Amino acid sequence: MAEIYRARAVDLDGKSTQICCIKKILPHLSEDPDYRQMFMDEARVAFSLHHPNIVQMFDMGRMDEHLFLALEFVDGADLQELLLRARDHASPLPLAGVLHVAIDILKGLHY
């Protein structure tokens, strides 16, 4: 549904910067009113969520007829990367790590 970019947010004086994430609806979907509505619905929900286990949304907007969301950038390996590494090394993920991730996911979902 969207492309994700790593970006740098710069404040008005140009002195302070922050790494963020830009989520832009795919060009061929931006013409579809249903997909645009889903994207806007996601933005409305994301703006209302404030929890350590949920990525924070900073802003939303439109640029050259393309909708975008500016989101918190979370640095580190994603779950797919960890699973691929474990498979490549023929070793399972440590149970304590798996449980930690599962609990954090459930905390975010519960919120």
Side-chain angles (χ1 to χ4, degrees):
M1 177 175 174
E3 299 171 312
I4 307 291
Y5 299 96
R6 182 177 171 172
R8 183 177 307 276
V10 180
D11 66 8
L12 293 176
D13 66 7
K15 295 178 183 175
S16 179
T17 65
Q18 177 180 355
I19 300 297
C20 66
C21 184
I22 301 297
K23 181 176 184 178
K24 185 180 91 166
I25 193 168
L26 291 171
H28 69 282
L29 296 178
S30 66
E31 298 169 11
D32 184 322
D34 291 333
Y35 280 97
R36 278 198 313 268
Q37 187 60 52
M38 285 192 306
F39 199 79
M40 298 299 288
D41 291 344
E42 176 186 346
R44 276 190 216 61
V45 170
F47 261 131
S48 69
L49 301 175
H50 301 284
H51 188 273
N53 298 78
I54 300 173
V55 170
Q56 184 180 352
M57 189 167 125
F58 298 134
D59 200 3
M60 65 176 290
R62 182 185 310 260
M63 181 178 229
D64 300 330
E65 298 306 314
H66 297 284
L67 298 172
F68 71 87
L69 306 177
L71 306 161
E72 171 186 15
F73 175 76
V74 179
D75 197 13
D78 61 32
L79 184 57
Q80 181 178 7
E81 187 177 333
L82 294 174
L83 292 171
L84 290 173
R85 256 192 243 161
R87 185 193 68 191
D88 291 346
H89 291 95
S91 63
L93 294 173
L95 180 59
V98 170
L99 291 174
H100 177 75
V101 169
I103 288 168
D104 282 350
I105 290 170
L106 290 171
K107 285 178 182 177
L109 289 171
H110 180 260
Y111 174 79

